[in-house]
Amino acid sequence: YQQNPKTYTIVKQLLAEGDAGELQKYFGSRMEFGTAGLRAAMGAGISHMNDLTIIQTTQGFCRYLEKNFSDLKKRGVVIGFDARAHLSSGGSSKRFARLAANTFISQGVPVYLFSDIIPTPFVPYTVTHLKLCAGIMVTASHNPKQDNGYKVYWENGAQIISPHDKGISQAIEENQEPWPQAWDDKVIDSSLLLHDPYAMVNKEYFKDIQKQCFYRNINKETNLKFVHTSVHGVGHKFVQLAFKAFDLSPPFAVPEQKDPDPDFPTVKYPNPEEGKGVLTLSFALAEKDGARIILANDPDADRLAVAEKQESGEWKVFSGNELGALLGWWIFTCWKNNSRDTRAIKDIYMLSSTVSSKILRAIALKEGFHFEETLTGFKWMGNRAKQLMDQGKAVLFAFEEAIGYMCCPAVLDKDGVSAAVITAEMASFLATRNLSLSQQLKAVYDEYGFHITKASYFICHDPKVIQQLFDNLRNFDGKNTYPKSCGRFKVSGIRDLTTGYDSSQPDQKAILPTSKSSQMITFTFANGGVATMRTSGTEPKIKYYSELCAPPGNSDVEQLKKELDELVNALEKHFFQPEKNKLQRKTE
């Protein structure tokens, strides 16, 4: 008996053609459930996102939650979804969210299912606000259009970390046969266990982010104009509401991109991190309407890219590190000047991931608050922020270079909606001082020291080559020796988070958690440079992140940039060896 005629037809067709290789692709291995949940293409078979794999995943997750929470049936879970859909397999984020809701409701668990599309940060917000056991967001964020994903939050309002991923994964294996009524999602509509948090969250979230609004009078008066794009995703309505909550005039929305469209017709990849290509239509609208600043969300609105028109008429797209520096400076300054927070400065914290710029460390050292770095990914920053908050500390801000910002303690994950409106308030305030964002960024660097970053990646589809490349770095001059230099640059320290080695610690053991399953080595250089090489958890890439930190007062930026370029060239040549390893460069 077929439950989904579309995926059934795909499989029947494959069987008729007798193509074992293709069948292997669909049924060879189950999608792996990791700390980021699931992410894969929509389609038939256990290696794809479809009705069956969503049911199986949710059954496992439900059993795992029952084991961990005796009050699951009292507290319940929240489920949200974006606007993704896949015609040929009949999969869509909304359909997957309803099937997941049905699974929990069949076991007597209350479900807060959003009735319409929402930004990803609304799910962690709801977990915290309603004190629920867990949250699920069905989204593939800025991935290509055929993909979807299933992202999981724990009761603390942060994304799950190990060992929950292992526990859930095992429970999925043990609950593969669909329960009775698993496919019949219509029964939930009449269930007393189904609640819709949409109206409540749309009121409460915008009330909560107003605690970060400090210059309402300036916002009301400003003649600065903004363009906003949601890149065919969910962000449009919510950024409009955020501007209203801050008393700012609404931004001009890019008309071709403001409505959700699962085909993302105007962009090659719906990822604002890719820079100018995604912003072409925004630039055109900004020129037409005389707007100086562009705010771009990714399709699930948890990230934010910002561009500003320079005196020269050129557009500058800020990197994640540059916007992190600006927001960190702004949020700290607002706390210092306006906050009703009575906590001492020693109880104030900011966080960033270990591959992001160390600019917050420099600001913290000079101003007297605490800075901590975490492993890569917001799951680590969210969990650490919650620990600190539970100890009575205030976490003002956290960011990662991949344009993710947490500006508001009500959401313990990256949030592109609050980041967009806080950036707009900052720009409006600076305009009253005749300063642009770029000028203020320079002022931050003048005061705290220039931090220049450069990041890129190589594509490599052969895991053996990747393993060999990192083995070579660990046995560079004979067994168990790391490189002592990279071209003309002397290496002064090494931290290997795959093995747990850190040359700078007295016991040579790294402080941050280590993971044998992913590669990550950080080199510190005698010239003040830092470079990290790591594998990506979701793509066939070896990434690198480099930074040159200069003490305040060293203002020869061009010289610093030249030095960093040379360091990066040496890194590519000696440590990546792209020709020997047949690595494919990132194509601009």
Side-chain angles (χ1 to χ4, degrees):
Y1 176 64
Q2 61 197 67
Q3 294 291 358
N4 178 333
K6 287 187 169 176
T7 45
Y8 179 73
T9 308
I10 295 170
V11 176
K12 216 166 97 175
Q13 180 78 31
L14 287 168
L15 284 168
E17 289 164 8
D19 186 334
E22 275 301 292
L23 278 165
Q24 184 67 22
K25 265 188 216 160
Y26 286 82
F27 291 94
S29 62
R30 177 171 290 281
M31 288 179 291
E32 207 175 311
F33 190 97
T35 51
L38 297 173
R39 201 172 282 187
M42 292 179 269
I46 57 169
S47 56
H48 293 115
M49 302 278 294
N50 55 52
D51 294 0
L52 175 63
T53 51
I54 291 295
I55 288 167
Q56 293 171 325
T57 299
T58 312
Q59 289 180 170
F61 188 35
C62 180
R63 288 287 178 258
Y64 185 74
L65 289 171
E66 286 168 348
K67 219 165 65 185
N68 279 273
F69 297 102
S70 54
D71 53 359
L72 177 65
K73 288 185 176 160
K74 205 168 78 202
R75 288 162 67 190
V77 299
V78 54
I79 302 175
F81 55 91
D82 69 8
R84 286 180 177 255
H86 188 243
L87 276 176
S88 63
S89 69
S92 73
S93 297
K94 183 173 187 170
R95 164 97 182 130
F96 294 161
R98 285 181 59 85
L99 287 168
N102 184 34
T103 302
F104 278 106
I105 285 172
S106 75
Q107 304 303 299
V109 177
V111 171
Y112 295 81
L113 173 68
F114 281 95
S115 53
D116 202 350
I117 55 171
I118 51 152
T120 293
F122 278 25
V123 168
Y125 177 82
T126 308
V127 172
T128 304
H129 196 78
L130 296 178
K131 302 185 170 55
L132 306 180
C133 294
I136 297 166
M137 178 69 191
V138 184
T139 178
S141 190
H142 52 271
N143 271 40
K145 64 183 177 189
Q146 65 273 17
D147 290 358
N148 216 326
Y150 185 106
K151 197 171 182 179
V152 174
Y153 294 85
W154 203 242
E155 66 163 341
N156 63 357
Q159 289 177 57
I160 58 163
I161 48 177
S162 231
H164 292 312
D165 54 333
K166 309 270 187 302
I168 296 165
S169 203
Q170 196 185 334
I172 295 168
E173 294 291 333
E174 291 161 6
N175 291 278
Q176 286 187 15
E177 189 175 327
W179 298 336
Q181 273 142 7
W183 305 88
D184 188 9
D185 64 311
K186 288 187 194 54
V187 300
I188 66 175
D189 296 314
S190 55
S191 168
L192 296 173
L193 292 170
L194 184 74
H195 310 281
D196 177 11
Y198 192 84
M200 180 276 297
V201 171
N202 267 306
K203 201 173 81 210
E204 297 295 320
Y205 170 88
F206 293 103
K207 228 164 58 190
D208 272 343
I209 64 170
Q210 286 179 54
K211 293 173 189 153
Q212 315 302 316
C213 175
F214 295 105
Y215 293 99
R216 209 171 273 285
N217 292 340
I218 290 177
N219 296 349
K220 279 179 190 156
E221 312 272 286
T222 187
N223 48 21
L224 206 54
K225 291 177 182 168
F226 299 91
V227 157
H228 174 250
T229 177
S230 41
V231 194
H232 304 296
V234 304
H236 171 72
K237 175 185 169 178
F238 304 98
V239 169
Q240 297 278 327
L241 286 168
F243 268 62
K244 204 170 132 188
F246 273 51
D247 274 322
L248 284 154
S249 300
F252 299 109
V254 175
E256 304 90 330
Q257 296 178 332
K258 81 175 178 59
D259 296 323
D261 185 336
D263 279 325
F264 305 112
T266 66
V267 292
K268 192 173 166 199
Y269 300 109
N271 181 1
E273 250 191 300
E274 298 291 335
K276 295 201 169 169
V278 179
L279 299 176
T280 311
L281 292 168
S282 303
F283 294 140
L285 181 65
E287 298 288 356
K288 186 179 122 240
D289 287 335
R292 207 179 75 202
I293 291 175
I294 292 168
L295 304 164
N297 287 122
D298 67 342
D300 67 330
D302 64 351
R303 296 170 189 233
L304 173 74
V306 177
E308 180 184 55
K309 194 171 184 178
Q310 305 299 294
E311 300 278 281
S312 65
E314 287 283 295
W315 284 93
K316 173 180 168 65
V317 182
F318 293 94
S319 71
N321 285 324
E322 290 173 329
L323 196 56
L326 279 167
L327 284 168
W329 162 79
W330 173 250
I331 287 167
F332 176 72
T333 307
C334 289
W335 177 84
K336 197 170 65 176
N337 297 341
N338 306 301
S339 175
R340 290 171 282 290
D341 189 342
T342 53
R343 274 176 278 221
I345 195 153
K346 66 170 177 32
D347 290 331
I348 299 300
Y349 280 74
M350 286 195 186
L351 313 173
S352 68
S353 71
T354 183
V355 296
S356 302
S357 169
K358 305 283 180 279
I359 183 68
L360 296 183
R361 182 180 66 186
I363 301 176
L365 276 171
K366 194 162 176 180
E367 301 292 346
F369 61 90
H370 287 276
F371 164 73
E372 276 189 20
E373 64 169 23
T374 69
L375 289 177
T376 316
F378 253 90
K379 58 185 180 193
W380 297 105
M381 285 182 271
N383 277 285
R384 181 63 184 139
K386 183 72 173 94
Q387 283 179 341
L388 288 164
M389 285 155 66
D390 288 346
Q391 296 163 20
K393 315 290 187 202
V395 179
L396 295 187
F397 178 60
F399 90 95
E400 64 179 3
E401 49 69 48
I403 63 173
Y405 312 95
M406 178 182 115
C407 303
C408 184
V411 173
L412 295 180
D413 198 12
K414 52 187 182 289
D415 177 355
V417 177
S418 59
V421 73
I422 289 168
T423 300
E425 178 172 87
M426 165 171 65
S428 304
F429 172 85
L430 288 168
T432 65
R433 309 280 166 100
N434 286 325
L435 287 167
S436 65
L437 292 174
S438 324
Q439 288 167 322
Q440 180 55 40
L441 179 64
K442 186 174 176 324
V444 169
Y445 286 148
D446 281 335
E447 176 145 353
Y448 301 106
F450 273 85
H451 286 60
I452 299 172
T453 58
K454 197 171 178 180
S456 191
Y457 57 79
F458 287 96
I459 295 169
C460 179
H461 291 281
D462 184 348
K464 283 208 269 306
V465 171
I466 295 178
Q467 183 63 50
Q468 223 171 334
L469 186 150
F470 280 92
D471 283 347
N472 178 44
L473 290 170
R474 295 189 180 102
N475 304 282
F476 204 74
D477 300 313
K479 204 170 155 41
N480 295 334
T481 62
Y482 291 88
K484 294 182 180 57
S485 64
C486 179
R488 70 174 177 86
F489 299 96
K490 198 171 155 338
V491 173
S492 58
I494 283 155
R495 183 190 63 188
D496 186 337
L497 288 180
T498 308
T499 63
Y501 169 75
D502 186 340
S503 66
S504 70
Q505 295 301 319
D507 61 357
Q508 314 241 303
K509 284 193 175 65
I511 294 167
L512 288 176
T514 55
S515 162
K516 300 223 182 328
S517 60
S518 58
Q519 300 284 353
M520 180 156 157
I521 305 177
T522 301
F523 299 94
T524 308
F525 295 94
N527 68 344
V530 181
T532 294
M533 294 169 60
R534 66 181 275 262
T535 45
S536 162
T538 48
E539 302 159 304
K541 291 176 179 173
I542 315 172
K543 301 183 170 186
Y544 68 77
Y545 310 80
S546 64
E547 177 166 42
L548 203 52
C549 311
N554 178 351
S555 57
D556 189 348
V557 188
E558 289 316 308
Q559 180 51 41
L560 290 168
K561 279 188 178 149
K562 195 169 151 271
E563 177 94 350
L564 185 63
D565 285 342
E566 286 178 21
L567 177 61
V568 164
N569 291 340
L571 190 75
E572 290 191 350
K573 186 178 156 186
H574 299 286
F575 289 3
F576 279 95
Q577 302 178 314
E579 285 72 36
K580 182 188 139 190
N581 291 313
K582 298 189 179 54
L583 306 177
Q584 192 185 328
R585 281 178 187 279
K586 172 186 176 179
T587 47
E588 283 308 333

